[in-house]
Amino acid sequence: TIDSIDVNNVKSSDKTEIETVKSNVEAVLLTTGNGASQAQINELNAIKTKCTSLLAKIQDVKDKIADVDTKTDGITVDNVNSGNKANLDSALATINTLLASSNLIADERTALTTKKAEVEGLLGIISDISTKIAAIRSVTDGVTLDNVKSSQKTDLENTLPVIEELLLSTNLTSAE
């Protein structure tokens, strides 16, 4: 029975049962001309509407999971860069929304929990690179061959290995 299921707790594992109920209700509705009262017809239509809403919620969750996969597909620790930040932020928000819901089966929850850790790690790499770039800029902005001072030598020398590290990484955009 689907009495205890609503859009707040429906899961993909409920889909077959809901489809069966909806199909059965639709079949009965075809025979309501055989003496069913308007109250009975209204009740059947309410059940059909509920089934439609539940199936739409199941599809919505499925679509959101697919969207997370699309937004994170192919992004790894070796190639993540600031150009991926918006998609990763969006994916993380969707993951958090889904994990806060009661609409996931155990396997979906496990997969999204793993994906959340991966996305947070990728966002951490972006943040780390951004911090390093900001630190480099704070030392090098405005410094030219014509105005460099000997007092800046140590800071500039300390920045050089960070610049080299970033240039050798695969995590920079062409603009960076």
Side-chain angles (χ1 to χ4, degrees):
T1 179
I2 64 166
D3 291 340
S4 62
I5 303 172
D6 62 35
V7 294
N8 295 316
N9 66 8
V10 67
K11 296 172 179 55
S12 59
S13 58
D14 301 319
K15 184 176 181 180
T16 301
E17 179 183 0
I18 296 165
E19 288 173 335
T20 300
V21 169
K22 184 178 180 186
S23 176
N24 290 341
V25 166
E26 288 170 339
V28 171
L29 280 170
L30 293 175
T31 66
T32 56
N34 295 332
S37 70
Q38 188 58 49
Q40 290 170 323
I41 293 170
N42 290 346
E43 186 175 339
L44 288 170
N45 280 321
I47 294 169
K48 180 180 171 184
T49 299
K50 179 179 181 178
C51 289
T52 299
S53 295
L54 295 174
L55 291 170
K57 182 63 176 185
I58 290 169
Q59 186 62 48
D60 180 54
V61 169
K62 181 180 176 182
D63 291 346
K64 286 179 179 177
I65 292 171
D67 184 55
V68 165
D69 291 340
T70 297
K71 287 181 177 174
T72 59
D73 187 43
I75 303 173
T76 67
V77 295
D78 295 325
N79 67 10
V80 67
N81 62 54
S82 62
N84 305 124
K85 187 172 181 351
N87 275 347
L88 292 173
D89 282 337
S90 176
L92 184 59
T94 300
I95 290 168
N96 286 332
T97 298
L98 289 170
L99 288 175
S101 78
S102 297
N103 299 113
L104 300 173
I105 61 173
D107 289 348
E108 292 166 335
R109 186 167 298 283
T110 299
L112 284 173
T113 300
T114 300
K115 181 69 79 170
K116 178 181 178 178
E118 291 170 7
V119 170
E120 288 173 336
L122 295 170
L123 286 168
I125 291 169
I126 292 171
S127 176
D128 184 47
I129 289 170
S130 177
T131 299
K132 288 177 181 179
I133 290 171
I136 291 166
R137 285 189 178 135
S138 73
V139 172
T140 61
D141 274 354
V143 177
T144 67
L145 289 175
D146 296 330
N147 70 4
V148 68
K149 298 177 181 128
S150 61
S151 61
Q152 296 171 305
K153 180 181 179 188
T154 302
D155 287 341
L156 290 170
E157 287 176 339
N158 290 338
T159 302
L160 191 56
V162 178
I163 293 170
E164 290 171 347
E165 171 196 343
L166 288 175
L167 288 174
L168 292 174
S169 82
T170 54
N171 300 113
L172 295 179
T173 63
S174 58
E176 292 168 331

